[in-house]
Amino acid sequence: MSEPYWRQRGWQVSAAFLGVVVLLSGIVALTAGRGTADDRAGAPPSKGPLSGSPAMRDGRPDGCRTDDGGGDVMPTAPPGDVDWRTLGVTRVPVSASAGPTLTQGPVWWCFAHTPAGAVLAAHIIPSHMSGPDWRTVAQEQVVPGRGRDLFVFKRSTVRDDAPGGGRDTGSGSSPDTGSGSSSVASYAGFSVPAYSGRAATVELLLKTAQGYATTSVSLRWSGGDWKVQPSDNGALHTPVKAVQGTNGHLLWGV
């Protein structure tokens, strides 16, 4: 008899994305490295209260300002103004030009309507799903439909506890693989296999102690911002798979 879905590794990865464990040459925790004492925790500086979806102005969330001048041109390097912020148990890239530039409660809004904006959204939105405010983020930043409904249903079965002692990752208990090994992963780079003004696919490159791995996130331009487009089975990203190196990816350089 197969295990219930909430105990399966594939679901635990999709439910919380970062701060859970997956099988990848041993157990790989999708978290970033420990920040230094001067790391800045929290969201970008422009903040406001969250009371449902934001008001719209000129087709964008009110107060949203980004550099959309690049249009559909694919990036040849990461945005030059990237900074790294602590988000739950990981660190994510943010950019004053590509976003997010607006914060309302737990939601980090306002990504540029460019491939670079889609890249930032692909890193940040799924990373929120490991925290206690995942329902709010899913409501506002995941495209509605069967996939989102199934994600919310499954994610609600996973406890927001603190495996490993001390840090609340919102992932639920780690499955027992009997391997007795784990390693830490961090964001290493990205590529944009597909892009249009209405949709994008971003491949994330992860660095682990065993090497590199990739997973892809689909996004849709909806309500004046990038939102994650889940699969019909409720996954926010594709299965994580090992790769031999960094070829085909732009590297963050951190």
Side-chain angles (χ1 to χ4, degrees):
M1 181 179 296
S2 62
E3 289 183 312
Y5 65 80
W6 61 85
R7 294 180 60 87
Q8 296 173 5
R9 293 189 193 95
W11 158 243
Q12 291 190 346
V13 174
S14 296
F17 190 68
L18 294 176
V20 300
V21 293
V22 296
L23 187 63
L24 178 64
S25 301
I27 308 173
V28 180
L30 301 186
T31 65
R34 295 179 181 177
T36 60
D38 60 353
D39 282 342
R40 287 176 293 172
S46 178
K47 298 182 179 180
L50 180 69
S51 56
S53 300
M56 303 294 289
R57 177 173 298 184
D58 298 328
R60 302 294 313 266
D62 193 16
C64 182
R65 300 289 185 272
T66 56
D67 181 4
D68 298 342
D72 294 351
V73 177
M74 291 293 182
T76 57
D81 58 355
V82 163
D83 191 11
W84 290 81
R85 302 292 179 100
T86 300
L87 175 57
V89 297
T90 191
R91 295 176 72 213
V92 295
V94 300
S95 163
S97 59
T101 63
L102 180 63
T103 304
Q104 294 181 299
V107 180
W108 296 12
W109 293 102
C110 191
F111 297 96
H113 196 183
T114 63
V119 166
L120 273 294
H123 284 74
I124 290 170
I125 297 173
S127 298
H128 271 291
M129 298 306 173
S130 63
D133 296 310
W134 67 268
R135 288 182 183 274
T136 300
V137 178
Q139 177 68 29
E140 302 296 343
Q141 294 186 292
V142 176
V143 176
R146 171 184 167 81
R148 187 178 76 177
D149 293 344
L150 192 53
F151 168 77
V152 170
F153 172 73
K154 292 181 176 181
R155 177 63 178 86
S156 66
T157 70
V158 181
R159 296 192 312 274
D160 292 330
D161 61 7
R167 301 190 73 180
D168 183 1
T169 67
S171 64
S173 299
S174 301
D176 181 6
T177 65
S179 66
S181 64
S182 64
S183 53
V184 176
S186 59
Y187 288 124
F190 64 91
S191 65
V192 186
Y195 181 85
S196 71
R198 297 182 300 275
T201 300
V202 176
E203 184 170 272
L204 306 178
L205 179 69
L206 308 173
K207 179 67 171 67
T208 80
Q210 290 81 21
Y212 292 96
T214 60
T215 184
S216 294
V217 178
S218 296
L219 303 107
R220 182 193 299 176
W221 186 259
S222 175
D225 213 353
W226 289 112
K227 297 181 181 180
V228 170
Q229 174 68 68
S231 65
D232 287 342
N233 68 2
L236 301 189
H237 62 94
T238 62
V240 178
K241 63 179 181 180
V243 293
Q244 294 300 311
T246 64
N247 289 346
H249 297 87
L250 299 176
L251 303 183
W252 287 116
V254 295

